[in-house]
Amino acid sequence: MTDPDRATDGGRPADPTVDAVFDAVAATAPEIRAALPGRRVESGTENESGESVMAGDLYADELLGDAITAVDGVGSFVSEERETAVDAGGAVGSGADEAYAVAIDPLDGSSNLRSNNAMGTVVGVYDAPLPASGRDLVAAGYVLYGPITTMVVADETGVREEVVTADGDGVDRSVVEADLTLPETPTVYGFGGRVPDWPADFRAYARSIEDELKLRYGGAMVGDVNQVLTYGGVFAYPALRSAPEGKLRLQFEANPIAYIVERAGGASSDGAGSILDVEPEAVHQRTPVYVGNEGLIERLEAAVDAD
Ligand code: AHG
Ligand code: MN
Ligand code: MN
Ligand code: MN
């Protein structure tokens, strides 16, 4: 349960730097959303993950990078679209100023730009130099560019959902759910990758889930995870035969999403245990991702053979 006082003061994070980071992220949302129609083309470049980068990826990265590195208390910044960490002035985790390190996926699901489906921005706020363990997250959140622009923010007191709207030259953030928790009864599932590329043990697990839940897969992690948080269920981008580490990146996709889902009463796994315990080795390292209702994640861990 969140702290009841927080709900009355609009459910904002207690930590002023965390609140300022999500204020900065929310402030960019209307501009990013307005810029997407003109940025649906490939930029012609590839990022550290070897993915082709869309013009929308670069625009969101630039806007968010400027906004986040300008926040007092942010010492460094990493992004899916940047090779290494960007120094933001403070020395991360250095004693008194305890500057934070922020990792972002500026535009998650950017391949949905062409098909006009949901996309988002993922943010992790760590109090340790990156790459860092998910246990070093002090807060995490995402913006979801759906029919409505929403922002989910999780910190040690719980998970809140806000509607973000442009008003004049700023934004209005209104908390619409002060205590977002995963429904007890799972309803939906979404699994990434191609079926023939799933290892046999995951394929058997998927078949059992298909018999029980409704398929909801939109190709953007933030949209698919938001459905799981809303309706209950499981989202996975599993280990693949062709890519045993899966597709999603630990620092700015898997850790923040795992933090949010676990704070909302769910569970996360890389196949062996909580994603938050995955050893950080590199900023762009990948990990298999399984998040959702605890019972479904327990069944997943029993089903897959993860070393
Ligand atoms: P990004 O657009 O930030 O590179 O992330 C895309 C990811 C994630 O959003 C989604 O779950 C997954 O890629 C979808 O992959 P497939 O296209 O293979 O389904
Ligand atoms: Mn990408
Ligand atoms: Mn992504
Ligand atoms: Mn991205």
Side-chain angles (χ1 to χ4, degrees), residues 202 234-239 267-271 275 288-292 297 300 304:
F202 180 75
V234 54
F235 166 80
Y237 207 103
S268 80
S269 182
D270 67 339
I275 286 171
V289 173
Y290 312 93
V291 292
I297 300 302
L300 176 279
V304 303

Side-chain angles (χ1 to χ4, degrees), residues 186-192 195 198 202 205-218 224-225 227-228 231-236 291-293 296:
T187 307
V188 299
Y189 76 94
F191 298 149
V195 176
W198 291 345
F202 180 75
Y205 171 77
R207 205 167 292 125
S208 71
I209 296 292
E210 283 159 7
D211 289 343
E212 296 166 30
L213 305 182
K214 289 195 292 188
L215 171 59
R216 288 286 185 277
Y217 188 77
D224 294 329
V225 168
Q227 295 213 63
V228 168
Y231 298 116
V234 54
F235 166 80
V291 292
N293 288 82
L296 298 180

Side-chain angles (χ1 to χ4, degrees), residues 171-254:
V171 290
D172 177 70
R173 290 172 55 183
S174 53
V175 175
V176 292
E177 176 52 73
D179 184 15
L180 184 60
T181 43
L182 203 62
E184 291 273 311
T185 309
T187 307
V188 299
Y189 76 94
F191 298 149
R194 296 169 194 276
V195 176
D197 204 8
W198 291 345
D201 50 17
F202 180 75
R203 222 168 147 168
Y205 171 77
R207 205 167 292 125
S208 71
I209 296 292
E210 283 159 7
D211 289 343
E212 296 166 30
L213 305 182
K214 289 195 292 188
L215 171 59
R216 288 286 185 277
Y217 188 77
M221 176 188 66
V222 286
D224 294 329
V225 168
N226 201 61
Q227 295 213 63
V228 168
L229 281 172
T230 308
Y231 298 116
V234 54
F235 166 80
Y237 207 103
L240 303 173
R241 293 174 193 274
S242 62
E245 292 310 308
K247 175 181 184 184
L248 301 178
R249 283 56 57 102
L250 178 67
Q251 296 295 302
F252 42 79
E253 287 173 315

Side-chain angles (χ1 to χ4, degrees), residues 47 49 51-52 57 80-81 105-112 119-120 191-194 217-222 224 235-237 247-249 252-253:
N47 63 19
S49 299
E51 295 173 344
S52 78
D57 287 315
E80 176 195 348
E81 309 310 345
D105 177 353
L107 197 59
D108 173 67
S110 57
S111 59
N112 281 350
M119 281 166 280
F191 298 149
R194 296 169 194 276
Y217 188 77
M221 176 188 66
V222 286
D224 294 329
F235 166 80
Y237 207 103
K247 175 181 184 184
L248 301 178
R249 283 56 57 102
F252 42 79
E253 287 173 315

